[in-house]
Amino acid sequence: MTDQFPEVTLTELFEEQVGRGGDRVAVVCGEESVSYGELNGRANRVARWLLGRGVGVEDRVAVSLPRSVDLVVALLGVVKAGAVYVPVDPDYPVERREFLLEDAAPVCVVDAEVVAGTAGLPAGDVSAGERSGVVSAGSAAYVIYTSGSTGRPKGVVVSHGNVVRLFASTCGWFGFGADDVWTLFHSFAFDFSVWELWGALLHGGRLVVVPFGVSRSPGDFRRLLVRERVTVLNQTPSAFYQLMLADEVAGGAGLSLRWVVFGGEALDLRRLVPWFERHGDASPQLVNMYGITETTVHVSFVCLSRELAAGDAGSVIGEAIPDLRVVVLDEALRPVPAGVAGELYVGGAGVARGYLGRPSLTAGRFVADPFGPAGGRLYRTGDVARWDGDGRLVFVGRADDQVKLRGFRIELGEVEAAVAAHPDVAQAHVIVREDRPGDRRLVAYAVPADGATPDPAAVRAHLAGNLPEHMVPSAVVTLEAFPLTVNGKLNHKALPVPETTGTAGARPPRTPREEILCGLFAEMLGVRRVGVDANFFDLGGDSLLANRLTTRVNAEFGTDLTIRTLFEAPTPARLSARLDEGGEEGGALDVLLPLRPFGTRPPVFCVHPAGGLSWCYSGLIKHIGPEYPVYGLQARGLDRDEPMPSSLGEMADDYVRQIRTVQPAGPYRLVGYSAGGVIAHAMAARLEQLGETVDLLSVLDTYPGQRMPPIDEQGVLADLLRWVGYDRRYLGDGPLTHERVTEVLQSLGSAMASLEQCHIAAITRIYANNSELFNSHLAEKFSGDLVLVVATLDKIDISPKPDTWQPYVGGAIRTTEIDRHHTDLMKPGPLAEIGRILAAELRRIDGAGQDDVAHPTAKEN
């Protein structure tokens, strides 16, 4: 293609590429691939099948196939016949598909059975004489439906010439060619797919069709990008933000990308900073391209940079494509000066014909151009923008009730109409809420019909059967009546935040892993906490948040879950059970407790304090990189009668044997809080005697030679409350009871609520035994370094000092003071500080340019 605007069709340009190299690979999907010659022949057969059934030029043909090579064959075959393809995504609900078929009134439908049935037809190019009329650049090529403000989607009619000039007018920027590899990532019913499909085929490139499941799994998608050596990636910002997480986990290596093109929704430039830090500004080059279906996919272009992302540029959408004209007008249709917001209008060669069968709507949105040549038209976008001081466009928002959410245009009126169609709903209102920064969701508010009590879950199920996934609200809130302003208008500010916790009476987590999963669920959903039986999707989770959640779970536990696993096991309890199927975690009271048993670096072993439980370290792992496995060491006798150690040295020997079952050889990393610090030091000395290396020993506010006072059951119960950050003074001055403490722990969502009275008694016995061992222990010398964390707000003994460790440490003692109480160090806030200290030490130890190699004792992902 050249930088001119040729009066040619998509068919002619594609066939030129076939003539330049029919043996080149054109399309890949999984294990299947076809050459340009094969693709051309198969598409010709589909075209002849259509022509044999009387399909004429500009007749509409519905195409309904899953993502596959056959889908590309079908779309190309329809265009070769001179017809117009109407995408009907088979993943859409039945009623949505039925509406599209009724409104578009196609002359036939091409599906997988049709494509398979064309095998015996001639494969040579379709001649002009075989078609019913002349196909020109002005002929319609496709009709794609966008959301409708009155409850009716509307079909946009786009010509061959609209698409051809899109690539001709941008080729000077991109320089696409036969060496490029593209992905067909988006639904073919979304106009971004036009850029992906024809961008590859009109330049002789290779098109990689992304299966739906892979498109919803950022980790799998990134692996596909690496495997297929993709060079041109087109993404909505929402999808790319998820890919960035997977790229961070992978360390940014292996990609072959030249271009990443954003479109479909507003881009938050600041969120790109971590990507630029890993990849720089030019490998690949990131580009933002604002666009709309009615103006043929893209309208503007701006190259992005680290400097631009770090600034305060807003959602910059740049300059207009050369053959388009963009104006920003006020309500009187007068151009606005720089810095002033107005409505965006687009004119030029990309403006589509209009809406299928909707002349009045077309007349209202495709208006006469008062600034251009006679007969010119402007498309009124409904988007608000402004010019910045550098002459670039900055996207501001929507002027009407239409929104863009995760790349899809949604008319809220269409969703409201679907909600109101439920028999139990009398009135409906739908808005986009952003109760957490960057987390925009559809929320529906419903007033019940007389005598009805709408079940939100049933309403969402009804909507899922009538609307595409991206249009189903994440929550349905029922109200007796809509709140009104003094002027009688709907009071949007008074619409309540959806109650999504759903944890009243719910079971709390029972193990450290369930507690970690509950925390991740709550973090993703933006709620304070959830119980182990909370269903992620019932609480407002969607596929985008599910991607984020699976990425975090995989990072924390070294697993390789997909979004499908989350659909099958959508609660913390079921997801934890699914992880158990892989054997990742034993009993929660075992001596060796795998908190995060996977990683590429040597594990970190955290030794219990005097009470014997290591559950208190579960809040630490999120602050240490996912490359580090984390294990807890727990006292014997927590859940069964067994002999307790007679000396701290005997305990250290036992724990050394335990850690060597998962890590036979060093270097070892040991951490211990309170009494656990002295035990960790004893383990380090014993490992050295065995000829092993300990390259991290960190003790958290403890010292050799201290005296540990005895403790009774009341003290144990108070410790449990302190570890979760609860001030026991709120319970009054009376004695603590196991039942009352359990109620508090349940209300806080702590796994410690699952401890029974027998466990409390066992912890009390263990504490008494450990106190005796601790007080009689004579520390040996460890020759390595010590990382000491000191709590400054109180002291656990009369006046211990960091230099108390000097006689027992041969290396350097690196001390960090934190303004905390000793008894508070296992609370979330102090754990975050400690996590940052340990993470810095681990980076220092492992930061000498070593490659991440799976540790021989750590389980592989």
Side-chain angles (χ1 to χ4, degrees):
M1 296 179 63
T2 70
D3 58 358
Q4 303 302 310
F5 308 133
E7 288 294 318
V8 295
T9 65
L10 295 170
T11 303
E12 291 169 321
L13 289 176
F14 170 74
E15 290 174 355
E16 281 184 17
Q17 293 299 334
V18 175
R20 291 174 184 172
D23 293 335
R24 288 174 299 162
V25 175
V27 184
V28 174
C29 185
E31 299 300 317
E32 184 181 5
S33 67
V34 297
S35 68
Y36 269 84
E38 292 169 324
L39 176 62
N40 190 50
R42 288 171 62 175
N44 286 332
R45 293 186 181 103
V46 171
R48 285 200 167 83
W49 183 89
L50 293 168
L51 294 171
R53 278 151 184 77
V55 174
V57 172
E58 292 217 357
D59 280 346
R60 291 181 294 280
V61 174
V63 176
S64 184
L65 289 98
R67 301 185 191 198
S68 59
V69 172
D70 277 353
L71 171 61
V72 180
V73 169
L75 296 174
L76 191 55
V78 173
V79 171
K80 277 175 163 283
V84 182
Y85 70 81
V86 181
V88 181
D89 194 324
D91 288 328
Y92 277 178
V94 173
E95 291 194 20
R96 175 79 171 194
R97 298 199 302 269
E98 289 177 347
F99 171 83
L100 297 182
L101 292 173
E102 180 181 357
D103 191 74
V107 295
C108 64
V109 177
V110 175
D111 55 19
E113 184 177 353
V114 168
V115 175
T118 64
L121 296 176
D125 281 336
V126 177
S127 67
E130 292 180 83
R131 302 186 184 100
S132 65
V134 176
V135 181
S136 68
S139 301
Y142 63 82
V143 174
I144 282 183
Y145 276 78
T146 68
S147 189
S149 60
T150 60
R152 290 181 58 198
K154 49 190 183 292
V156 182
V157 184
V158 180
S159 72
H160 286 253
N162 289 144
V163 180
V164 169
R165 46 70 36 195
L166 171 64
F167 294 104
S169 59
T170 57
C171 68
W173 288 327
F174 292 105
F176 297 138
D179 292 333
D180 280 316
V181 181
W182 299 60
T183 56
L184 182 58
F185 176 88
H186 300 90
S187 166
F188 71 114
F190 179 27
D191 76 326
F192 217 160
S193 67
V194 173
W195 174 259
E196 296 177 299
L197 172 70
W198 297 107
L201 298 183
L202 299 187
H203 294 92
R206 177 158 54 93
L207 180 67
V208 179
V209 179
V210 182
F212 180 80
V214 174
S215 73
R216 294 301 186 267
S217 173
D220 289 341
F221 181 51
R222 190 189 185 280
R223 285 187 282 274
L224 178 145
L225 296 178
V226 172
R227 183 176 67 251
E228 298 291 347
R229 302 190 65 80
V230 171
T231 63
V232 181
L233 175 62
N234 306 283
Q235 293 272 273
T236 62
S238 293
F240 189 74
Y241 300 149
Q242 303 314 302
L243 180 63
M244 284 174 56
L245 294 176
D247 183 70
E248 181 179 6
V249 171
L255 295 172
S256 302
L257 295 172
R258 291 200 312 121
W259 296 98
V260 176
V261 179
F262 297 117
E265 64 183 348
L267 174 66
D268 184 349
L269 291 173
R270 292 166 298 181
R271 297 184 69 172
L272 301 179
V273 170
W275 173 276
F276 283 123
E277 289 175 349
R278 285 194 301 278
H279 296 280
D281 284 359
S283 297
Q285 174 65 64
L286 273 54
V287 172
N288 196 20
M289 295 189 79
Y290 162 83
I292 36 194
T293 306
E294 289 87 343
T295 56
T296 317
V297 188
H298 293 310
V299 168
S300 67
F301 170 100
V302 61
C303 283
L304 305 177
S305 65
R306 187 196 311 243
E307 180 181 5
L308 194 62
D312 188 22
S315 187
V316 176
I317 57 179
E319 62 179 296
I321 290 173
D323 66 337
L324 296 179
R325 195 157 52 80
V326 174
V327 290
V328 182
L329 308 178
D330 62 17
E331 293 181 354
L333 300 184
R334 295 171 301 195
V336 299
V340 176
E343 187 170 355
L344 200 62
Y345 288 73
V346 179
V351 177
R353 286 189 188 177
Y355 298 117
L356 180 66
R358 309 283 290 278
S360 59
L361 184 60
T362 298
R365 299 301 292 270
F366 295 81
V367 299
D369 182 357
F371 311 105
R377 294 181 306 153
L378 291 176
Y379 175 69
R380 181 181 182 182
T381 68
D383 288 330
V384 177
R386 60 178 172 82
W387 298 103
D388 69 8
D390 296 320
R392 299 174 304 196
L393 279 169
V394 178
F395 179 83
V396 176
R398 284 295 301 171
D400 54 22
D401 233 6
Q402 186 187 84
V403 298
K404 275 194 177 181
L405 195 63
R406 302 186 187 107
F408 293 95
R409 284 174 52 187
I410 300 171
E411 294 282 4
L412 299 180
E414 182 178 357
V415 185
E416 289 175 357
V419 177
H422 190 279
D424 290 341
V425 175
Q427 295 176 273
H429 187 69
V430 177
I431 63 173
V432 175
R433 297 197 69 103
E434 189 172 0
D435 298 308
R436 289 192 305 161
D439 182 18
R440 302 175 71 238
R441 306 186 192 182
L442 283 182
V443 176
Y445 295 88
V447 174
D450 289 343
T453 306
D455 175 19
V459 174
R460 289 189 77 245
H462 159 78
L463 297 175
N466 291 274
L467 297 172
E469 177 189 1
H470 62 272
M471 296 176 67
V472 177
S474 65
V476 176
V477 180
T478 57
L479 303 171
E480 291 184 6
F482 287 139
L484 303 178
T485 66
V486 292
N487 296 325
K489 297 181 179 180
L490 179 64
N491 187 350
H492 288 83
K493 293 182 179 180
L495 292 171
V497 176
E499 175 56 53
T500 59
T501 56
T503 55
R507 291 188 300 155
R510 298 154 296 182
T511 67
R513 186 168 64 199
E514 285 188 348
E515 184 169 351
I516 293 168
L517 289 172
C518 286
L520 291 175
F521 272 52
E523 179 184 337
M524 292 299 109
L525 293 166
V527 298
R528 197 154 59 97
R529 61 181 165 271
V530 299
V532 292
D533 301 310
N535 186 298
F536 182 77
F537 298 100
D538 287 349
L539 297 183
D542 53 29
S543 59
L544 183 66
L545 291 176
N547 281 329
R548 294 179 185 173
L549 179 60
T550 54
T551 298
R552 287 293 304 278
V553 171
N554 288 336
E556 296 294 355
F557 296 102
T559 50
D560 195 20
L561 302 180
T562 66
I563 191 172
R564 178 175 178 177
T565 309
L566 188 60
F567 277 112
E568 295 170 349
T571 69
R574 291 171 62 184
L575 196 56
S576 182
R578 180 62 64 90
L579 294 179
D580 273 335
E581 293 173 7
E584 290 101 334
E585 181 176 60
L589 298 175
D590 288 351
V591 175
L592 191 64
L593 175 66
L595 293 169
R596 181 170 65 203
F598 294 94
T600 58
R601 296 289 192 182
V604 177
F605 296 99
C606 300
V607 185
H608 64 79
L613 277 176
S614 289
W615 295 12
C616 53
Y617 293 106
S618 62
L620 181 66
I621 68 172
K622 73 171 80 172
H623 305 293
I624 299 176
E627 64 270 28
Y628 296 99
V630 180
Y631 290 83
L633 285 160
Q634 304 192 120
R636 292 193 177 277
L638 285 169
D639 65 341
R640 64 179 69 90
D641 288 332
E642 55 184 325
M644 294 186 184
S646 58
S647 69
L648 197 143
E650 178 184 336
M651 182 188 299
D653 285 341
D654 181 18
Y655 293 168
V656 165
R657 287 191 295 271
Q658 290 291 322
I659 68 176
R660 295 182 88 180
T661 64
V662 295
Q663 186 187 354
Y668 290 95
R669 285 89 189 268
L670 306 174
V671 177
Y673 162 58
S674 194
V678 175
I679 302 169
H681 176 266
M683 292 173 63
R686 191 57 48 95
L687 283 163
E688 277 195 335
Q689 294 166 13
L690 294 172
E692 296 291 353
T693 301
V694 178
D695 60 8
L696 175 66
L697 172 63
S698 179
V699 298
L700 311 179
D701 204 45
T702 192
Y703 309 90
Q706 288 177 228
R707 302 290 299 173
M708 181 182 293
I711 196 171
D712 57 11
E713 186 174 290
Q714 287 290 299
V716 169
L717 293 173
D719 268 354
L720 298 182
L721 294 176
R722 277 196 296 268
W723 286 342
V724 296
Y726 188 83
D727 191 334
R728 64 97 64 223
R729 291 176 298 179
Y730 294 146
L731 298 180
D733 296 329
L736 296 173
T737 66
H738 177 248
E739 292 75 15
R740 186 70 184 98
V741 169
T742 298
E743 288 178 9
V744 172
L745 295 173
Q746 285 178 335
S747 71
L748 296 173
S750 171
M752 292 181 184
S754 66
L755 295 172
E756 299 178 3
Q757 183 64 55
C758 62
H759 299 137
I760 302 299
I763 292 172
T764 305
R765 291 194 302 272
I766 289 168
Y767 198 111
N769 184 67
N770 287 344
S771 296
E772 185 177 335
L773 301 185
F774 188 90
N775 293 337
S776 61
H777 176 63
L778 297 176
E780 299 177 279
K781 189 165 186 175
F782 165 62
S783 67
D785 296 347
L786 179 73
V787 176
L788 176 63
V789 176
V790 176
T792 63
L793 295 187
D794 61 9
K795 298 296 181 183
I796 61 174
D797 207 340
I798 297 174
S799 186
K801 295 181 173 59
D803 59 12
T804 308
W805 277 107
Q806 198 66 58
Y808 307 102
V809 177
I813 299 177
R814 291 189 292 279
T815 303
T816 302
E817 295 185 347
I818 59 176
D819 294 332
R820 302 284 184 168
H821 294 274
H822 170 83
T823 52
D824 291 341
L825 289 189
M826 292 295 102
K827 293 179 180 179
L831 272 179
E833 294 183 58
I834 293 167
R836 287 191 288 271
I837 295 167
L838 295 178
E841 287 291 333
L842 290 167
R843 286 195 300 271
R844 182 187 62 79
I845 294 168
D846 292 335
Q850 303 175 35
D851 292 329
D852 278 352
V853 178
H855 193 273
T857 63
K859 298 179 183 178
E860 296 279 2
N861 286 359

